[in-house]
Amino acid sequence: TDLTASYYDPVLRIFPHTDRLTMGLSTRRQAIIIGAGPAGLTAALELLRHSDIVPIVLEADDCVGGISRTVNYKGNRIDIGGHRFFSKSDWVMNWWKDILPIQDNDGAGKTTIHYHNQSRDVESSSATADSERVFLVRNRLSRIYFLRKFFDYPLKLSAATVANLGLMRMIRIGMSYVRVHFQPRRPETTLEDFLINRFGRELYLTFFKDYTEKVWGVPCDRISAEWGAQRIKGLSIRSALLHALGRMLPFRKDAGQKKVNTSLIERFLYPKYGPGQMWETVADKVTAAGGSLHLRHKVCSVQCDGQRITAVEAENLATGERVVFAADFVCSSMPVKDLVAALGGAMPLEVRQLAATLPYRDFITVGLLVRAMKANPQSRSALANHMPPDNWIYIQERDVRVGRLQLFNNWSPAMVNDPDTIWLGLEYFCNEGDALWQHSDEQLKTLGRTELAHIGLIEPDADAVLDSVVIRMPKAYPAYFGSYARFDDIRQHLDPIGNLFLIGRNGMHRYNNQDHSMLTAKLAAEHIISGNPDKSALWSVNVDDEYHEEKSS
C-alpha cells in the first residue's frame, strides 16, 4: 500500500530511505527542497511535472515566496523590494503565464503588450477559473529624487535634466564621460571602476556613489565589479541614448523585451495582488500534484557522508520537534552560510569559518498610508491627491536614510484597500543587529514620516499619516564584498556533493532577479532527472551577459 500521504505528515519522524520498506512506505525517490521562494517552488513543480520524484519543501517562515512574498496589512499589500514580472527568457514568461493568465481588458482573447520597438500578442482570458488570479499589464516608471527634483531613470539628455542639474554640471559630466571613454580604468575590479567606466567620474559622483553606499553600507571601491555585471549589466550612457532614439521610431516591443536592458523596460506583467500571489498559486499546484510543503520548518542539520547528502533534519518551529527527512536529492536556496553551518563536520573548519563571515545586506520596509502627497510641479501627477505615477522612486537625497519609495497603488490598484488613499513603502537598507535594525517599530514609523516630510514629499502635519507598519527582511541581499572574494573556496567544497544543487539568490549568494532564480531551479531539476552532477550550467545563469541579455531561452 502506498502510504505517501501519511509518510509526508510533518509530525512523523522520517527515517533514511533504507528503512522505507520495513515501514511499508513509498519507495519513490524524494528531493528535499530547502526554501519556498521562487527557486524552491519552481524546482518542486518542475520535478513533479517531469518526473516521479517527490519534492518535500521545507520553509522556515510561515508563508511562501521568500522576498517575493506579498504582506497583507489590513487589506493594504506590501511587495517586499518590488517585483516586475518580465524576462528575456521565453521559458520563464510562458511558465508565469501558465500559472496566472493575463487579464483580457477588451474581450479580444489577446493582449498586445507594447515595448520600445516591438510588440507581441500574448494570450489573455476574460473568463478564468478564478478571475482574481490574473496578471495585469502595468506601465513601468521609476525616477530619481535628487535636489528635491525628479529625474528620469535611466537619465535622459533632455531639457528637464539640464535644467535640474545646471549647464555647468552637465558640461562636466560630458567631459568626464569622454575622458573615461578614451582612458578607462584597468583593471576593472571594483564597483567604482565599473560605474566610472560606463558613466564617467562626474556622473558617478552625482548619482551613483552616495546611493550605492546607502544601499550597501560600504564604499564602492570595496564592492566587487561583479555586482555591476549582475545588476546594471549593459546599461550605459550609450545604451540609454540609443534607447531614447529608438523610441522615436515607429516600432514596438514584445513582452519579453529580450534586446533591451532590464533598466529600460517600459511595461511589465504583475499579479493582481502582488508577487506573493504567484508563489501562493505555485505552492497550491505543488501540493495538489503530490508534493509536500512544510511551513515553519527550519533546517538545522544536513547529514552528508562526504559524497552525498543522506538526510535533512528540520525543527518544527510550532512544536519544537526535530524531524528527519531522507534525501535522494537536495535543492538548497537557504543562505550559503547557514547551509555550511548545517553541514557541520562534513565541511572543513576553514570553510565553515569563511562561510560564517559571508556578508549580507538586510532590509526594512516602513509602510505609510496617507490621504495625499505634497504637490510638486515636477511629479507629473494628474490626481487630486498629488500621487506621482511611479512604481518606485530612488531617493538620492543625502540628508535622509530612506533609499527608495514604492507607490503600491501604481503596481496594482488591488494592492490598496481604499482607493482614495495612497499606500507607500519606504525602503531602508541596514545590517541585522545594527542601530537602525534595532529601532523599535514606533521609532521606524516616526523616522519614515519625518524623512518624507523633510524632503517635501508629504505634509509635515501630525495627521498626514493615517496608518503605518514595519516589515523586516533579514538577508535580503547577498553582498559582494569582504569574504565574498573567497566564495569560490566555499563552492569548491559544495559542488562535489553529487546530489546537492544550490539554487536561487541566497542559495548561490548571487544577487539574482526572480527569473534568474527560476532558471537555476529549472536547470537543477533537469540535472536531477537526467542524473547530471555537473553544476557549471547553474552558475552560468546571470553571469554571461549574452545568456541573459540576448538569448530567448
Side-chain angles (χ1 to χ4, degrees):
T1 302
D2 188 341
L3 301 179
T4 302
S6 61
Y7 179 51
Y8 295 129
D9 190 314
V11 301
L12 285 181
R13 186 167 299 277
I14 307 302
F15 293 92
H17 62 272
T18 52
D19 296 324
R20 288 180 194 160
L21 292 177
T22 63
M23 296 174 65
L25 301 177
S26 170
T27 58
R28 291 171 62 186
R29 294 178 300 169
Q30 58 190 32
I32 307 303
I33 313 291
I34 305 176
L41 291 175
T42 299
L45 191 55
E46 285 300 291
L47 288 172
L48 287 165
R49 284 175 167 176
H50 302 293
S51 76
D52 64 351
I53 298 169
V54 179
I56 300 177
V57 184
L58 305 178
E59 171 56 55
D61 216 327
D62 60 0
C63 63
V64 301
I67 197 173
S68 297
R69 73 188 63 185
T70 302
V71 177
N72 188 338
Y73 174 71
K74 299 180 182 179
N76 295 305
R77 291 171 166 82
I78 290 177
D79 176 351
I80 305 294
H83 292 83
R84 297 193 297 262
F85 282 70
F86 68 88
S87 178
K88 295 178 178 66
S89 165
D90 285 338
W91 181 86
V92 171
M93 292 296 295
N94 291 330
W95 200 94
W96 280 333
K97 288 182 288 182
D98 180 64
I99 304 298
L100 296 179
I102 299 172
Q103 180 172 278
D104 187 353
N105 294 319
D106 56 14
K110 65 180 180 181
T111 298
T112 302
I113 302 181
H114 301 293
Y115 292 89
H116 165 58
N117 63 354
Q118 300 178 25
S119 66
R120 174 185 289 178
D121 290 337
V122 291
E123 292 183 4
S124 57
S125 175
S126 56
T128 66
D130 184 348
S131 61
E132 296 291 278
R133 292 192 177 194
V134 293
F135 268 129
L136 306 180
V137 180
R138 306 300 294 166
N139 292 323
R140 180 264 192 203
L141 177 64
S142 301
R143 286 183 293 171
I144 297 167
Y145 192 68
F146 179 54
L147 304 174
R148 306 310 197 252
K149 300 172 183 177
F150 288 91
F151 291 80
D152 290 317
Y153 179 82
L155 288 170
K156 298 176 182 175
L157 186 59
S158 63
T161 301
V162 174
N164 284 347
L165 289 176
L167 181 59
M168 292 307 298
R169 180 178 275 165
M170 286 296 298
I171 291 173
R172 292 198 302 270
I173 288 172
M175 293 176 63
S176 175
Y177 176 70
V178 170
R179 185 180 303 115
V180 79
H181 180 73
F182 290 102
Q183 294 180 318
R185 287 190 169 199
R186 293 290 185 266
E188 187 179 273
T189 58
T190 70
L191 182 58
E192 181 175 273
D193 299 332
F194 181 94
L195 292 170
I196 289 176
N197 281 346
R198 280 151 188 80
F199 301 100
R201 182 173 181 79
E202 187 68 27
L203 195 61
Y204 160 73
L205 293 175
T206 302
F207 282 106
F208 289 95
K209 183 178 186 295
D210 291 324
Y211 181 79
T212 304
E213 292 178 359
K214 182 188 290 188
V215 171
W216 292 105
V218 297
C220 289
D221 62 5
R222 287 177 50 196
I223 302 174
S224 169
E226 187 177 347
W227 183 90
Q230 297 269 116
R231 301 299 296 185
I232 301 173
K233 301 166 187 169
L235 187 62
S236 65
I237 289 180
R238 179 177 177 274
S239 64
L241 287 173
L242 290 174
H243 176 71
L245 289 172
R247 294 186 61 176
M248 302 175 187
L249 301 175
F251 300 105
R252 291 175 177 174
K253 192 172 175 60
D254 75 282
Q257 304 182 78
K258 301 185 204 90
K259 294 184 180 179
V260 173
N261 185 273
T262 53
S263 296
L264 304 178
I265 300 300
E266 293 170 352
R267 300 186 79 192
F268 59 93
L269 301 177
Y270 194 72
K272 185 173 182 178
Y273 292 103
Q277 185 179 31
M278 165 63 70
W279 302 111
E280 290 158 11
T281 305
V282 174
D284 291 343
K285 289 182 177 293
V286 167
T287 55
S292 177
L293 170 63
H294 303 297
L295 299 177
R296 300 204 67 197
H297 276 64
K298 182 178 180 179
V299 170
C300 50
S301 175
V302 176
Q303 300 170 20
C304 180
D305 63 11
Q307 295 181 324
R308 298 178 60 83
I309 292 174
T310 57
V312 173
E313 183 178 12
E315 179 185 357
N316 183 333
L317 299 179
T319 66
E321 182 184 10
R322 295 287 185 95
V323 187
V324 178
F325 297 89
D328 294 294
F329 309 98
V330 176
C331 294
S332 174
S333 66
M334 70 190 294
V336 172
K337 69 183 302 181
D338 296 337
L339 173 65
V340 171
L343 282 162
M347 292 286 106
L349 177 61
E350 181 183 2
V351 173
R352 281 179 278 155
Q353 292 174 335
L354 179 60
T357 63
L358 281 175
Y360 297 82
R361 194 66 165 157
D362 307 296
F363 188 83
I364 297 172
T365 297
V366 178
L368 297 183
L369 187 68
V370 302
R371 185 71 63 188
M373 298 182 70
K374 193 171 182 178
N376 185 316
Q378 285 193 331
S379 73
R380 303 183 193 171
S381 178
L383 303 175
N385 61 12
H386 310 301
M387 181 180 69
D390 306 72
N391 308 116
W392 61 55
I393 299 170
Y394 296 96
I395 307 297
Q396 295 271 143
E397 305 291 19
R398 295 160 182 161
D399 51 349
V400 291
R401 297 192 66 170
V402 60
R404 197 169 63 175
L405 175 67
Q406 287 205 66
L407 296 97
F408 295 114
N409 305 57
N410 296 329
W411 288 92
S412 166
M415 297 287 280
V416 186
N417 187 44
D418 180 355
D420 293 327
T421 60
I422 304 172
W423 184 223
L424 304 172
L426 288 74
E427 299 178 349
Y428 290 90
F429 308 97
C430 56
N431 291 326
E432 189 174 0
D434 69 11
L436 185 61
W437 184 269
Q438 292 181 2
H439 275 12
S440 68
D441 285 3
E442 290 306 313
Q443 287 175 313
L444 289 167
K445 293 173 185 178
T446 299
L447 176 66
R449 181 176 65 249
T450 302
E451 290 199 335
L452 275 198
H454 177 67
I455 60 178
L457 291 179
I458 64 172
E459 297 290 348
D461 305 341
D463 59 352
V465 176
L466 305 175
D467 201 356
S468 54
V469 69
V470 173
I471 307 294
R472 290 173 168 84
M473 181 61 67
K475 295 185 177 67
Y477 304 121
Y480 286 60
F481 50 82
S483 58
Y484 175 76
R486 294 185 58 198
F487 183 77
D488 282 349
D489 294 345
I490 301 173
R491 180 184 159 188
Q492 287 172 8
H493 285 83
L494 293 174
D495 277 359
I497 301 176
N499 63 342
L500 171 64
F501 296 85
L502 305 187
I503 58 175
R505 175 180 284 192
N506 277 331
M508 305 177 78
H509 202 88
R510 180 156 291 178
Y511 197 173
N512 289 328
N513 287 326
Q514 64 175 339
D515 62 331
H516 297 125
S517 294
M518 292 171 63
L519 287 168
T520 64
K522 169 183 180 286
L523 289 170
E526 290 175 349
H527 281 44
I528 287 172
I529 294 168
S530 67
N532 182 1
D534 183 8
K535 318 296 172 55
S536 58
L538 279 71
W539 291 103
S540 73
V541 174
N542 199 16
V543 173
D544 181 348
D545 282 345
E546 181 183 6
Y547 174 86
H548 63 252
E549 291 293 341
E550 301 295 339
K551 292 187 179 179
S552 63
S553 61

